[in-house]
Amino acid sequence: MKKMKFLSMTLLATIVLSSCSNDDDNVPTVVNEEEVITTITATFTPVNGGAPIILRSYDADGDGPIAPVITVSGPFATGQAYHGAITLLNELETPAGNITEEVHEEGVDHQFFFQSAPSIGTFAYTDADANGRPIGLAFDYTASATAVSSNLTITLRHQPNKAAAGVANGDITNAAGETDIQILFSTVVQ
């Protein structure tokens, strides 16, 4: 009899506990792990031929205390048109992880911005996300018609408001969102 009572109590406890479970609690949470980006390379290939200008930032420890090494391979030529491309790597992995394709696939949640003051020229997006809005992994750049030295800031925003005024044209003012990357390159147009 004790055994039966024990089984009945077990059965009752199982029924009570099962009826109290909330299926909503069992829905797995989608985890979108943040990627470490150690290296950003912006390659500017002259439309009329010639050696590309390469802007590169390499951070040996990701978000650690070591400052990134920032290099610019040379000056831009006045009035020259360039095709631009950005690649992102995680060189803490072996082999290095290429984050570029992930940013492209999640393009609706990402956009690059190019800022300089004084202006070093004009930038135009040549890629688009699933909604037809710019990402900035590919772009065209036309260097200033006059010689100028300036800092070019390349910023990657996560979840910007791409529908806000000016954002589709590269104005970061109304973009909001969160900054994933922001690198300042010392550039010269001559």
Side-chain angles (χ1 to χ4, degrees):
M1 214 40 199
K2 273 187 165 182
K3 186 174 183 182
M4 189 64 175
K5 187 175 181 181
F6 176 76
L7 288 174
S8 296
M9 293 290 284
T10 302
L11 182 60
L12 178 62
T14 302
I15 291 170
V16 169
L17 291 175
S18 296
S19 65
C20 291
S21 80
N22 184 348
D23 288 341
D24 292 339
D25 293 340
N26 296 328
V27 175
T29 303
V30 176
V31 177
N32 191 4
E33 293 182 24
E34 289 187 22
E35 295 287 347
V36 173
I37 299 172
T38 60
T39 309
I40 175 172
T41 303
T43 303
F44 294 75
T45 304
V47 171
N48 296 326
I53 307 300
I54 298 172
L55 283 56
R56 183 174 187 263
S57 172
Y58 170 66
D59 192 342
D61 62 350
D63 285 339
I66 300 172
V69 176
I70 299 172
T71 58
V72 176
S73 68
F76 295 105
T78 55
Q80 174 70 53
Y82 298 84
H83 293 303
I86 292 177
T87 58
L88 306 167
L89 299 176
N90 177 2
E91 297 191 75
L92 296 178
E93 299 176 349
T94 304
N98 190 335
I99 314 298
T100 312
E101 188 59 32
E102 184 176 328
V103 169
H104 185 265
E105 289 172 359
E106 298 177 359
V108 293
D109 292 328
H110 295 94
Q111 185 173 342
F112 282 94
F113 295 90
F114 308 91
Q115 303 164 275
S116 61
S119 174
I120 63 166
T122 58
F123 290 84
Y125 296 101
T126 59
D127 60 359
D129 63 23
N131 297 324
R133 296 195 167 112
I135 303 171
L137 288 168
F139 57 90
D140 284 339
Y141 163 65
T142 302
S144 169
T146 58
V148 63
S149 296
S150 182
N151 291 322
L152 169 63
T153 302
I154 298 178
T155 303
L156 174 61
R157 280 283 171 91
H158 184 78
Q159 296 186 329
N161 180 2
K162 293 187 177 191
V167 174
N169 294 321
D171 183 354
I172 198 170
T173 307
N174 299 317
E178 182 178 338
T179 298
D180 281 343
I181 301 169
Q182 188 168 56
I183 308 292
L184 186 145
F185 296 96
S186 180
T187 58
V188 173
V189 178
Q190 64 182 28

